Amino acid sequence: MPPEVLEASARALVDYNGMGAGIAELSHRGPELDAVFDETTARVRALMDVPDEYDVLYLQGGATTLFATIPMCFLREQADYLITGEWTLKAAEAARYYGRVNVIGSSEATGFDRNPTGWHPTPGADYLYVCSNETISGTRWSELPSHPSLIVDASSELMARPFDVRRLALLFGGAQKNLGPAGLVLAIVRRDLYERIPSTVPAIFDFRAQAKAGSRLNTPPTFAVYMLLETLRWLEREGGIPEIERRNEQKAALIYEALDELSDFYTPTVTDKPNRSRMNVTFRLPTEALTNQFLQESEARGMIGLKGYRTVGGIRASIYNAMPIEGCAALAELMRDFAETKLSVVSSRKQRPVL
Ligand code: PMP
């Protein structure tokens, strides 16, 4: 998270506006929190150009909870899912309890190295579900599919690229990549979807009930919402989403350039170049031992968290909004230095005469 956001949030946690009490100690139904929720929603609406027919909701339980509550509320008969990685696999699995799940396209057979092509939506399906950016494998939909009820998990891309909300039925994401602390979910929901919600859905899982209660049906994670607000203030100061997207493209390009240039040493996990992630750059080294050495070297240079996801291995550079361009340049430099040393060792070994 941006240092300014952390510092402002830390101050508010200790003493909010000189009240002698921290933001997390104030009532979630008091005037201070009313103002926090109102400003947060106004900023989300302005930054993302959210039309009036949509609600902005703050939900709990992480994005995984919505893997279940989305079909619980909106899957009446059948829904289409495009499987591009572990997060869509999990979402499709969670939906099976509520209706027929049509996997209309999947790149699982090729290790999620691309986005599926040649798929067709099922006529009459309740919705089409996609993940805009697969955080683990590193693919993204650079162009989102079109569908009258398109549901998008944008956990790792919310506020990192512009989304045309008018083309979507529901956009949601866990806050922990670009927006704030884990546990909080930001959801933008087209209100006409509410008609589909069965009366058996408990209020706490019911999007309409949450909207009616201003996302305060029970005690919400007020401090997490406050950190989101500070992040939105920061985003606006930085120039908004188009400027952040421009920087994100530049940041990712630095690493991909090194990756493409050194393709005889590093292997990108994603082969579908137009759809490679700008948030999570994933690649492999020739051996496990070299991967470990690379990780050690990265830590020695002050870079942490580069180990690939536990199910995938290799390297994953997560370069969310708050990562400065210098961090990406440092990684690209490490990639070049490391490959150069190792390749020169290999070539000198090859050249050594066999005695
Ligand atoms: N979707 C995506 C794309 C994710 O990256 C993640 C978590 N990293 C999730 C869903 C699950 O989020 P949570 O851990 O908040 O449930």
Side-chain angles (χ1 to χ4, degrees), residues 61-65 67 87 131 133-135 153-156 174 176-177 183:
T64 304
T65 298
F67 292 172
W87 296 114
C131 178
N133 181 81
E134 282 280 359
T135 320
D153 170 3
S155 291
S156 40
Q176 65 267 37
K177 322 290 182 198

Side-chain angles (χ1 to χ4, degrees), residues 198-274:
S199 57
T200 48
V201 170
I204 197 74
F205 300 138
D206 178 331
F207 288 81
R208 176 168 32 201
Q210 288 285 5
K212 254 190 175 164
S215 305
R216 281 177 279 174
L217 216 130
N218 66 334
T219 318
T222 49
F223 184 58
V225 175
Y226 185 78
M227 287 189 79
L228 165 61
L229 172 57
E230 285 294 354
T231 306
L232 301 179
R233 289 175 176 163
W234 171 83
L235 250 174
E236 205 153 290
R237 288 197 299 275
E238 295 296 309
I241 296 175
E243 170 59 19
I244 286 289
E245 184 193 37
R246 190 191 64 77
R247 291 184 204 172
N248 286 337
E249 277 175 26
Q250 240 185 352
K251 280 155 48 182
L254 283 178
I255 305 173
Y256 284 122
E257 268 162 29
L259 197 55
D260 293 340
E261 197 181 295
L262 301 161
S263 57
D264 49 350
F265 188 71
Y266 300 108
T267 310
T269 320
V270 176
T271 55
D272 179 2
K273 280 191 184 178

Side-chain angles (χ1 to χ4, degrees), residues 36-284:
V36 167
F37 274 81
D38 289 349
E39 184 185 337
T40 308
T41 300
R43 285 185 185 274
V44 171
R45 285 193 179 280
L47 278 161
M48 296 187 69
D49 189 20
V50 179
D52 288 346
E53 316 84 84
Y54 291 73
D55 282 320
V56 175
L57 305 181
Y58 311 96
L59 304 171
Q60 304 184 53
T64 304
T65 298
L66 275 75
F67 292 172
T69 56
I70 286 170
M72 191 188 291
C73 289
F74 307 126
L75 174 47
R76 300 282 49 87
E77 275 181 34
Q78 51 174 328
D80 289 350
Y81 279 71
L82 281 169
I83 307 298
T84 47
E86 297 207 21
W87 296 114
T88 34
L89 261 183
K90 285 190 172 139
E93 179 52 39
R96 286 181 204 283
Y97 299 93
Y98 303 99
R100 195 160 87 228
V101 169
N102 308 314
V103 172
I104 58 166
S106 171
S107 53
E108 190 173 9
T110 54
F112 301 126
D113 66 334
R114 68 194 73 181
N115 281 350
T117 52
W119 47 266
H120 299 284
T122 311
D126 291 311
Y127 58 79
L128 168 62
Y129 183 104
V130 299
C131 178
S132 79
N133 181 81
E134 282 280 359
T135 320
I136 295 174
S137 43
T139 54
R140 84 194 279 256
W141 288 99
S142 50
E143 292 280 338
L144 285 174
S146 290
H147 195 274
S149 294
L150 183 63
I151 296 187
V152 180
D153 170 3
S155 291
S156 40
E157 274 197 327
L158 267 181
M159 308 256 180
R161 70 187 275 193
F163 286 97
D164 184 355
V165 176
R166 286 169 180 79
R167 291 187 51 218
L168 312 175
L170 197 163
L171 179 72
F172 74 100
Q176 65 267 37
K177 322 290 182 198
N178 285 309
L179 298 179
L184 177 66
V185 173
L186 176 66
I188 298 173
V189 190
R190 203 175 62 206
R191 263 180 231 118
D192 66 35
L193 291 182
Y194 298 156
E195 288 162 19
R196 305 184 192 176
I197 303 174
S199 57
T200 48
V201 170
I204 197 74
F205 300 138
D206 178 331
F207 288 81
R208 176 168 32 201
Q210 288 285 5
K212 254 190 175 164
S215 305
R216 281 177 279 174
L217 216 130
N218 66 334
T219 318
T222 49
F223 184 58
V225 175
Y226 185 78
M227 287 189 79
L228 165 61
L229 172 57
E230 285 294 354
T231 306
L232 301 179
R233 289 175 176 163
W234 171 83
L235 250 174
E236 205 153 290
R237 288 197 299 275
E238 295 296 309
I241 296 175
E243 170 59 19
I244 286 289
E245 184 193 37
R246 190 191 64 77
R247 291 184 204 172
N248 286 337
E249 277 175 26
Q250 240 185 352
K251 280 155 48 182
L254 283 178
I255 305 173
Y256 284 122
E257 268 162 29
L259 197 55
D260 293 340
E261 197 181 295
L262 301 161
S263 57
D264 49 350
F265 188 71
Y266 300 108
T267 310
T269 320
V270 176
T271 55
D272 179 2
K273 280 191 184 178
N275 288 314
R276 45 192 193 183
S277 172
R278 289 170 184 157
M279 296 280 103
N280 313 96
V281 182
T282 52
F283 58 91
R284 291 183 210 288

